[in-house]
Amino acid sequence: MSATEAIANGKRIVIKVGSALLTDKARGELNQAWVDDFSAKICAFLKDHKEIIIVSSGAVALGRKEMGISSDIPPGKIPLPLKQAASAVGQPHVFNGYALAFAKHGVGVAQVLLTMGETENRRTHLNARATLQELVSKGIVPIINENDTILTEELRFGDNDRLAARVAQMIEADTVILLTTTSGLYTADPGTDPKAEHIPVVETVTEEHIKMAGDALPGLSTGGMRSKIEAAQAATRAGISLVIAGSFDGKCTLFKAMEHAPNSRKRWIATHMHPKGVLVIDAGALKALKEGKSLLPIGVKKIEGDFERGDAVTIKTADGKIVGIGLSAYASEDALKIIGKKTAEIHEILGFSGRDALVHRNDMALQT
Ligand code: GLU
C-alpha cells in the first residue's frame, strides 16, 4: 500500500509535512517547487472529495538564515528563545509557500497555530475543532503548525508528528500521513545497517517498534522516527490509521487502526461538538459518577435543551461545572418526567420500561 492508496481509503485525512521536505537546505529557503508539486496533489485529492488538513513543519528551519543559526546545529541544540524567534521569522515563509501554491488551483488556505495546552483544554479544543470543521466544510485547507513562539519547553509538543495525531483525534480524521525523508519503519537504521529491512505493515505498535526507531535525528528533523512511532501509537489506539511515507507513491509503513480501540467510543463521546442538552446533577450523583457508576434519574435535578434518545448531553453540577458528556438513554420529554424519581418508578411514570440509567456509564466520558 502507498500513501495515495491510504488516502483513497479515507475521507478526512491529516497530512504532516516534515521540515526537510519543504526546505532547500543549501539555501536555507523554502523549496517552492516541492510545495507546488505537493499542493497540486492535495488539490487532486480535494477534487476526489477528500477532506485534507495539513500539519506543516518548517518554521524553525526557514527562520534560521535570518536569525543567523547555522544549518549544522540540530533543532534540539538551538536555545529555546532563539528557536522561538526563528519560528516567528520562518512561519510566514511556510504559510506563504502554501498560499501561493494553492492559489494557483483557486483553493484557499488558513493558518492555524495550536499548542498542546489548547488541544487538551476542553473549551479551546472544542473551539479549535469547530474552526477546523468550518474551514474544511468550505473547502479551505488548514495549514497547522505548533505555536512555537509562546511555548515553554514543558508545554510544547516539540514535534509535529504527535501534533498531527492529536489534530486527527480532535477532528475525527480516519487517516494520518506523516510525509518525511524515509519510506517508513525499518528493522534497523537503513543508513548504517545494510541488513535493515523495510516493514510495510504494523498491526499493533509495540515496545519493539519503538526500539527499532532509535533516537537518531537526521538533519533538520525534530522528532525523528521515535516521535513518529509514538504518534502512530496514539493514532491507532484512537482508531485512526497512520502511514509513514517518503512520497505519495513510494513504499511506506502502514500502522493499522485498532478496530476496537478500547477508548475510541468514549473519545468519540468526549469530542462531541454540539451536545443537545444539559443534565444538572446533585452531589450524590457526582460521587457515583466519579466511582464509575451510571447516572440514575434520581440524581438529576434539572434538564435543559431539547434532545432525542441517544443524543449527547453535557453533565454539569448545580454550580455549572462540567462533569462530562454522555449519551442520554431518554429523550428530553421523557427525561423531564423521571428526574428525581427512583428507577423502579420509571415504568409507572412513562408507561414503558426504558433503561435504568439516564446515562449509562459506558455511554459517558467524564472530564478529568
Ligand atoms: N514546529 C516546528 C517548526 O515548524 C517543527 C516541529 C517538527 O519538526 O516536528 O519548525
Side-chain angles (χ1 to χ4, degrees), residues 279-282 285 295-303 339-340 358:
L279 306 180
V280 179
I281 63 171
D282 64 17
L295 177 59
L296 300 178
I298 196 158
V300 179
K301 293 163 73 158
K302 208 172 108 186
I303 289 182
I339 57 171
L358 193 44

Side-chain angles (χ1 to χ4, degrees), residues 199-264:
I199 303 173
V201 180
V202 172
E203 297 286 340
T204 310
V205 182
T206 62
E207 276 305 307
E208 209 188 329
H209 297 112
I210 296 176
K211 271 201 212 114
M212 278 176 200
D215 290 318
L217 293 179
L220 295 170
S221 312
T222 298
M225 193 50 82
R226 178 180 286 259
S227 69
K228 292 178 179 51
I229 305 294
E230 283 170 7
Q233 196 164 39
T236 53
R237 281 182 180 165
I240 301 164
S241 59
L242 183 140
V243 171
I244 302 177
S247 65
F248 282 117
D249 299 310
K251 63 181 175 182
C252 64
T253 300
L254 165 69
F255 296 81
K256 285 195 176 171
M258 284 173 68
E259 268 172 38
H260 302 290
N263 291 321
S264 65

Side-chain angles (χ1 to χ4, degrees), residues 7 11-17 51-56 144 160-161 163-179 240-243:
I7 291 170
K11 168 74 184 151
R12 181 172 284 184
I13 299 117
V14 174
I15 303 181
K16 184 255 169 176
V17 176
E51 295 174 343
I52 309 282
I53 295 94
I54 296 173
V55 173
S56 184
I144 302 176
N160 277 349
D161 302 316
L163 175 63
R166 181 66 65 79
V167 166
Q169 277 173 36
M170 181 190 256
I171 54 164
E172 284 158 34
D174 42 60
T175 311
V176 177
I177 311 285
L178 301 180
L179 274 188
I240 301 164
S241 59
L242 183 140
V243 171

Side-chain angles (χ1 to χ4, degrees), residues 133-198:
Q133 304 266 22
E134 192 68 40
L135 290 167
V136 166
S137 75
K138 298 282 187 306
I140 306 275
V141 179
I143 313 285
I144 302 176
N145 197 354
E146 187 165 18
N147 196 353
D148 292 320
T149 53
I150 58 162
L151 296 170
T152 58
E153 207 60 86
E154 311 78 66
L155 292 177
R156 301 169 72 222
F157 277 101
D159 63 81
N160 277 349
D161 302 316
R162 289 175 304 156
L163 175 63
R166 181 66 65 79
V167 166
Q169 277 173 36
M170 181 190 256
I171 54 164
E172 284 158 34
D174 42 60
T175 311
V176 177
I177 311 285
L178 301 180
L179 274 188
T180 179
T181 44
T182 66
S183 45
L185 184 62
Y186 286 77
T187 51
D189 181 355
T192 54
D193 187 344
K195 288 204 214 91
E197 276 174 44
H198 180 255

